[in-house]
């Protein structure tokens, strides 16, 4: 497979189904941000973390690739002329969301109750997790904007929302795993 095709040299790219759009198109921005998110999930996986978390993050990476493919397929191109789906793959669905919720619930059982807002930091791995969470929120915002203009499966928005929650709770768990301290936001009172 040749990596460079030269078809994007003039600032346009193709969506699944053949539509050519500018590289700044909102749909490209949405799945491009999901791709960035996926790279940062990989960065968390590359840290010293437990095997279970690494396996969950790998599953998330696969699901983010699927989610990107779903976003790259405009609604009018989802069904082929023969009536079959263009993306003949498992899609993001309630099971995908349930996995994240179950992982959040399991981690929350071992975490202390939150009494303050938490500042990102305390350990490099924790900081990577917070950066990833912020990218996830950006992907969610862009995808929400896209859904205002074009059809986007609801499961995509739910998944991104839940993933950012998962990443926040994971950051808290990784704080404990790395014997770090949570840094509380305690604003100074005006005197």
């Amino acid at each position: 497979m040749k990596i460079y095709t030269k078809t994007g040299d003039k600032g346009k790219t193709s969506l699944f189904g053949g539509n050519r759009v500018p590289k700044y198109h909102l749909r490209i921005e949405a799945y491009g941000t999901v791709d960035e998110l996926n790279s940062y999930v990989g960065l968390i996986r590359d840290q010293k973390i437990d095997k279970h978390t690494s396996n969950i993050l790998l599953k998330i990476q696969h699901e983010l690739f699927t989610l990107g493919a779903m976003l790259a397929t405009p609604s009018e191109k989802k069904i082929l002329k023969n009536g079959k789906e263009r993306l003949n793959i498992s899609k993001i669905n309630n099971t995908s969301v349930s996995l994240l919720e179950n992982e959040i619930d399991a981690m929350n059982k071992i975490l202390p109750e939150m009494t303050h807002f938490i500042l990102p930091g305390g350990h490099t791995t924790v900081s990577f997790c917070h950066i990833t969470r912020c990218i996830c929120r950006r992907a969610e915002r862009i995808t929400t904007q896209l859904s205002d203009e074009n059809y986007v499966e609801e499961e995509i928005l739910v998944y991104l929302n839940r993933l950012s929650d998962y990443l926040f709770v994971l950051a808290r768990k990784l704080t404990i795993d790395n014997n770090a301290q949570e840094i509380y936001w305690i604003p100074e009172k005006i005197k």
Side-chain angles (χ1 to χ4, degrees), residues 97-115:
V97 173
S98 292
L99 172 71
L100 295 174
E101 290 174 347
N102 292 337
E103 289 298 312
I104 291 168
D105 293 343
M107 287 186 289
N108 268 330
K109 287 180 182 174
I110 63 164
L111 294 173
E113 182 180 344
M114 262 185 58
T115 58

Side-chain angles (χ1 to χ4, degrees), residues 16 34 38 59-73 87 89-92 96 156:
F16 284 166
V34 168
N38 202 337
K59 174 126 179 77
I60 289 168
Q61 286 191 282
H62 282 277
E63 289 183 333
L64 287 173
F65 233 86
T66 298
L67 193 148
M70 292 169 71
L71 286 172
T73 309
L87 288 179
I89 59 174
S90 297
K91 313 287 187 315
I92 297 299
S96 309
I156 291 175

Side-chain angles (χ1 to χ4, degrees), residues 46-58:
D46 288 342
Q47 306 307 302
K48 283 186 168 182
I49 59 174
D50 64 276
K51 183 103 172 121
H52 175 78
T53 301
S54 180
N55 289 339
I56 294 297
L57 290 172
L58 182 59

Side-chain angles (χ1 to χ4, degrees), residues 120-138:
H123 189 277
T124 304
T125 304
V126 174
S127 295
F128 287 150
C129 205
H130 280 292
I131 291 167
T132 307
R133 174 186 55 79
C134 292
I135 295 167
C136 187
R137 286 288 190 207
R138 179 163 30 97

Side-chain angles (χ1 to χ4, degrees), residues 14-56:
S14 294
L15 300 171
F16 284 166
N19 295 14
R20 300 278 300 162
V21 296
K23 290 187 176 185
Y24 59 79
H25 189 278
L26 196 55
R27 188 171 292 282
I28 306 301
E29 191 66 34
Y31 74 73
T33 305
V34 168
D35 186 33
E36 180 184 0
L37 169 61
N38 202 337
S39 297
Y40 274 89
V41 171
L43 181 62
I44 299 168
R45 275 191 52 241
D46 288 342
Q47 306 307 302
K48 283 186 168 182
I49 59 174
D50 64 276
K51 183 103 172 121
H52 175 78
T53 301
S54 180
N55 289 339
I56 294 297

